[in-house]
Amino acid sequence: MEKYNIVFIETEWARAEILGRRAEDFVLREFSSFGASVARMVKKSAYKEECALLPDCVNVVLELDMPLVKLKDVTSLADKMKRDKINCVRLGSKDALSKICIGKDTSGGVFSSSQAFFKIDDAKSYNLVYNRLKDEILDEMLSRGVKILDKATTFIDDTAVIESGATILPFTRIEGESAISAKSVVGASYIKDSVIDGANVEWSHIVCSHVHARATVGPYARLRRAEIGEDCRVGDFVEVKASALEKGVKAAHLSYIGDAQVGERTNVGCGTVFCNYDGKNKHKTTVGCDCFLGANTNLVAPLVVGDKAFIAAGTTVTRDVDEKTFTIGRVKQDTVKSDR
């Protein structure tokens, strides 16, 4: 096997985050299994060409701000150089620090303009590399059977895991350590560090959450550190924070559920607020199974609502509610004649 000496040069833009990873991570991952005879990493300020290049080797110098570079680009170019008796090729431009040299001879003005060797050194180049990498990531997913309807409006980090059979609709961004399983449908949503496990999500903002099978979320829902059980419904303008909704819970619209545990099949009426903050501390609310929380209910934590409790619309609940009870706490309505 041909002896390779690889020198990786750390640069300022090598640490730029791009689609979930630093630019240098793409390069180092690509060459991690190459098995070069010698591989070193140096800072740009400490790089000395006369020390870096070795005789009787294919010397490869790569700046780590080149995340598009692939192993095959380097090896195929090295093979061509040997066939054409070219001693040195600069990568990207004629004065590039990155290069491939056969031995220590760096003479000649040959350079490769291949996009594979495009480096990030300003905002414009970052944009070009970002979009090229984005297409590579999406193309790989399409080849595995992920249904991506519009590449132009879909953005998925390299760190995300999308299973074959998932459907990603337009205007979707998936970031971080997210996982989207088969049979999931995600459209026009922002997903970060979250699991969508066979659920349907549309026009929603989901961070550090887990949405289970057959649940529907959105439009315009917001989840933060939320656990949404199977068959749940989280509708428009509902926010769930640091809470768990068990199987079959319905919160159809215009509600805030914070620091709560909500039991199976409970209905959370429109305008319901879990009042979890007293100005200093957050407090927990526990709601049992098969409860009915009427519209505009206020649950003032800490609070426990028993199974099959019924809370009438417009009620502010400040004391624990026993199971199988009816609670109403409205102000008495008065109607007087108007002079208008």
Side-chain angles (χ1 to χ4, degrees), residues 78-340:
D79 290 342
K80 178 177 174 57
M81 290 169 63
K82 285 179 283 184
R83 288 195 305 269
D84 296 346
K85 295 182 170 51
I86 299 172
N87 292 325
C88 183
V89 174
R90 304 276 172 171
L91 304 180
S93 64
K94 61 183 179 182
D95 56 352
L97 197 58
S98 299
K99 55 186 168 291
I100 300 175
C101 296
I102 308 299
K104 300 188 71 168
D105 188 348
T106 62
S107 60
V110 179
F111 71 94
S112 171
S113 59
S114 168
Q115 284 189 340
F117 304 122
F118 199 82
K119 63 191 265 87
I120 302 173
D121 53 15
D122 57 21
K124 184 176 181 180
S125 58
Y126 178 91
N127 175 267
L128 293 170
V129 171
Y130 179 97
N131 282 284
R132 176 74 180 272
L133 272 176
K134 179 177 86 78
D135 280 348
E136 287 183 6
I137 292 167
L138 298 182
D139 285 341
E140 188 275 333
M141 291 180 180
L142 285 165
S143 70
R144 290 191 291 101
V146 178
K147 299 173 186 175
I148 299 172
L149 272 64
D150 183 14
K151 285 174 56 179
T153 60
T154 301
F155 305 85
I156 301 178
D157 277 0
D158 188 63
T159 49
V161 177
I162 318 293
E163 289 185 359
S164 173
T167 299
I168 311 299
L169 300 176
F171 304 105
T172 295
R173 182 174 187 85
I174 301 172
E175 293 184 349
E177 303 296 328
S178 292
I180 313 297
S181 72
K183 299 183 180 179
S184 298
V185 179
V186 178
S189 295
Y190 176 78
I191 313 289
K192 182 176 182 180
D193 297 326
S194 296
V195 177
I196 310 300
D197 191 4
N200 190 314
V201 176
E202 59 174 328
W203 293 99
S204 294
H205 187 282
I206 299 177
V207 176
C208 299
S209 297
H210 191 155
V211 183
H212 290 268
R214 301 177 304 280
T216 60
V217 177
Y220 313 117
R222 188 181 187 199
L223 309 181
R224 298 180 288 148
R225 293 184 287 120
E227 187 87 14
I228 308 300
E230 295 179 357
D231 302 304
C232 282
R233 171 79 178 105
V234 179
D236 45 306
F237 304 104
V238 173
E239 181 172 3
V240 183
K241 190 275 294 185
S243 298
L245 309 187
E246 297 179 12
K247 184 176 181 179
V249 170
K250 301 293 188 291
H253 32 225
L254 297 165
S255 296
Y256 172 69
I257 303 172
D259 298 284
Q261 182 83 24
V262 182
E264 294 184 3
R265 298 174 300 279
T266 284
N267 181 82
V268 180
C270 177
T272 294
V273 176
F274 285 64
C275 307
N276 59 326
Y277 185 50
D278 64 7
K280 286 187 177 181
N281 300 302
K282 300 290 179 69
H283 300 282
K284 185 174 181 179
T285 298
T286 301
V287 178
C289 300
D290 299 300
C291 292
F292 183 90
L293 308 180
N296 292 323
T297 293
N298 296 310
L299 302 173
V300 183
L303 192 68
V304 176
V305 177
D307 294 345
K308 299 184 179 179
F310 190 112
I311 312 294
T315 298
T316 295
V317 183
T318 59
R319 299 191 304 270
D320 288 354
V321 176
D322 292 336
E323 64 180 29
K324 299 181 180 179
T325 56
F326 174 78
T327 300
I328 184 168
R330 300 172 189 159
V331 176
K332 182 181 177 182
Q333 178 177 319
D334 289 321
T335 302
V336 297
K337 183 174 286 189
S338 172
D339 293 333
R340 294 182 62 186

